[in-house]
Amino acid sequence: MRSGITCTCVDCGHTFAPDDPQYLCPRCGDRAAPLRGLLYLNYPALAAGTTLDGLSCADWLPLLPLCSAGSLPPLRVGRTPLYQRTVDGREVWLKDDSQNPTWSYKDRASAVVSAYAHEHGLKTIVVASTGNAGSSLAGICAAQGQRAVVIVPAAAPEAKLMQALCYGATVVRVDGNYDDAFELSLRASEAYGWYNRNTAFNPLTIEGKKTAAFEIACQMGAPDRVFVPVGDGVIAAGVWKGFIELHKAGLIDKIPCMALVQATGSANLVRNLASQNGEFPPAHTLADSICVTVPRNLGMMRYLAARYPFETITVSDGAIMDAALHLAQTQGLFVEPAAGAAWAGWLAGGGSSSGRDVVLLTGSGLKDIAPLRRRMTMPAPIRPDLDALSCALGNPDGDI
Ligand SMILES: *Cc1c(COP(=O)(O)O)cnc(C)c1O
Ligand SMILES: [Zn+2]
């Protein structure tokens, strides 16, 4: 890794110069979920006179574990729009990360992991994924001339698998769940020397995911709250860390409150954030990208939650689907259910808004249309004439 960067174990505090590559803490790391020994990367202080615009022009390099921006993929990753809208009389900012190359937030992590692999001569990258991480790695590797191996549970949504296949990745479906895919990917890394992109396990996933915080700071300054849909908690930790780093460098005046949104049926991260009771009932939600039984990044989230402001919100699957449709119909933004959860969290948040809340829209609605089939009625085909049309419109008298 670039010289001057150190890492700190969030569990035992061990601070050291990381190896290439470095995954968990060498003293206390344990890859059984939730992972123990997750590493928090520390950067040397920024040069005097550094500005947000200057960082942006440098592709955030002083705060990334990379040697050259030239190793990033030749695609527009991040730099997504932030829309200011008024909804129900309240102002809110929508960060549309469905506009990434493979249509999800995961591209931010894949890009940094892939660039790092490029700089270290690592030719094959493997990932265990429930869908978006795999399709993202596949697309980014295709642009970089790298090989992606994507290990998924057999039940992963078809659109995401098809994406990974079309990008030319090696797709492995396992008879089992995400935990089985995760374990197999670690064994494959060891056996074949493949670089591992697993979320949280590879600390660079957090580094990539923090770049949205940098962009938001450029686009509007420090928000009051950021609404994040949470599964493993890597997007949340990444965005949090991004704001923390900017605040430490004196580039923003406060660290926003993280509003962590989970589905009611998949709320094991918020349930275990403060307590050590370690109860992980099996997760169920229609929002497959945030359906996580044992959140991999729990240790890092506990570390952050002990130090910085946050709130937690849980939303039902019904509220998630209502919110996703509301966003499509009132804002023209078609997002997948996981992103709908963040919007549902904001809508549920009621009156306390200052007009400086950001909602992260993490993935495109085209990624996962199965849950919508149950909500929308596909119109039956009609004869292509005006009588049939006026009938279909419910006006048999032709009165439109
Ligand atoms: C992965 C993902 C999330 C959740 O991110 P975590 O880091 O697992 O908390 C949310 N939305 C979408 C679209 C995702 O793909
Ligand atoms: Zn440790």
Side-chain angles (χ1 to χ4, degrees):
M1 217 164 295
R2 211 175 65 215
S3 72
I5 295 177
T6 62
C7 55
T8 299
C9 171
V10 298
D11 289 307
C12 76
H14 178 37
T15 298
F16 59 101
D19 263 354
D20 285 310
Q22 180 75 53
Y23 300 113
L24 301 177
C25 172
R27 292 212 178 140
C28 75
D30 181 351
R31 62 201 218 183
L35 300 169
R36 189 179 160 78
L38 292 166
L39 298 176
Y40 190 97
L41 261 59
N42 313 298
Y43 293 81
L46 297 178
T50 300
T51 62
L52 271 173
D53 282 346
L55 280 176
S56 171
C57 288
D59 288 307
W60 323 115
L61 212 63
L63 292 172
L64 290 177
L66 302 174
C67 295
S68 158
S71 41
L72 288 162
L75 293 167
R76 196 223 53 204
V77 177
R79 311 216 176 259
T80 56
L82 179 68
Y83 299 116
Q84 186 178 18
R85 299 285 172 91
T86 304
V87 177
D88 300 339
R90 290 194 285 158
E91 272 177 22
V92 62
W93 302 71
L94 303 170
K95 181 72 171 161
D96 184 11
D97 254 58
S98 71
Q99 299 298 308
N100 273 301
T102 78
W103 303 282
S104 87
Y105 198 101
K106 298 290 192 285
D107 288 339
R108 294 178 182 273
S110 299
V112 170
V113 168
S114 162
Y116 176 90
H118 180 81
E119 291 182 359
H120 292 81
L122 303 160
K123 305 237 174 301
T124 299
I125 311 177
V126 62
V127 69
S129 169
T130 59
N132 278 341
S135 57
S136 168
L137 183 69
I140 298 294
C141 283
Q144 295 263 73
Q146 294 164 326
R147 178 178 179 214
V149 180
V150 175
I151 306 185
V152 292
E158 192 187 354
K160 299 176 184 179
L161 287 185
M162 194 53 77
Q163 249 188 306
L165 284 171
C166 291
Y167 286 128
T170 304
V171 175
V172 180
R173 292 169 73 216
V174 294
D175 258 331
N177 58 18
Y178 178 63
D179 296 313
D180 301 314
F182 202 97
E183 182 58 27
L184 182 59
S185 79
L186 299 188
R187 294 211 184 152
S189 290
E190 282 163 8
Y192 309 127
W194 294 344
Y195 187 39
N196 193 300
R197 183 222 175 273
N198 283 9
T199 196
F201 177 70
N202 185 328
L204 270 51
T205 53
I206 292 172
E207 300 310 295
K209 286 181 172 191
K210 76 189 182 189
T211 56
F214 299 164
E215 293 171 21
I216 291 167
C218 281
Q219 288 165 313
M220 65 175 290
D224 283 346
R225 294 189 294 179
V226 183
F227 286 73
V228 192
V230 176
D232 280 306
V234 176
I235 295 180
V239 171
W240 220 339
K241 186 170 190 279
F243 285 117
I244 291 164
E245 288 174 350
L246 294 185
H247 186 253
K248 196 171 155 199
L251 295 171
I252 53 174
D253 55 8
K254 64 169 179 206
I255 297 168
C257 172
M258 289 294 128
L260 311 172
V261 188
Q262 291 210 284
T264 315
S266 176
N268 286 340
L269 193 139
V270 301
R271 179 176 290 124
N272 286 282
L273 205 49
S275 73
Q276 300 286 335
N277 65 10
E279 280 172 28
F280 299 99
H284 298 283
T285 169
L286 286 173
D288 79 272
S289 294
I290 51 169
C291 188
V292 173
T293 296
V294 187
R296 289 306 195 283
N297 208 34
L298 180 59
M300 174 86 58
M301 287 298 284
R302 278 182 173 151
Y303 176 86
L304 293 167
R307 291 163 177 78
Y308 304 101
F310 69 99
E311 57 188 76
T312 63
I313 302 162
T314 55
V315 288
S316 69
D317 276 8
I320 288 173
M321 297 314 292
D322 285 348
L325 290 172
H326 174 266
L327 200 59
Q329 291 165 11
T330 67
Q331 307 301 319
L333 292 165
F334 181 43
V335 299
E336 71 166 90
W343 186 234
W346 186 80
L347 290 173
S352 67
S353 171
S354 60
R356 295 191 61 79
D357 288 344
V358 174
V359 181
L360 288 189
L361 304 178
T362 46
S364 159
L366 291 176
K367 290 270 193 178
D368 188 13
I369 62 168
L372 294 169
R373 292 213 177 93
R374 268 164 265 156
R375 287 294 296 263
M376 311 310 284
T377 311
M378 189 59 74
I382 61 162
R383 243 182 12 255
D385 63 43
L386 213 45
D387 285 348
L389 176 62
S390 71
C391 240
L393 294 172
N395 301 293
D397 303 334
D399 189 17
I400 309 289

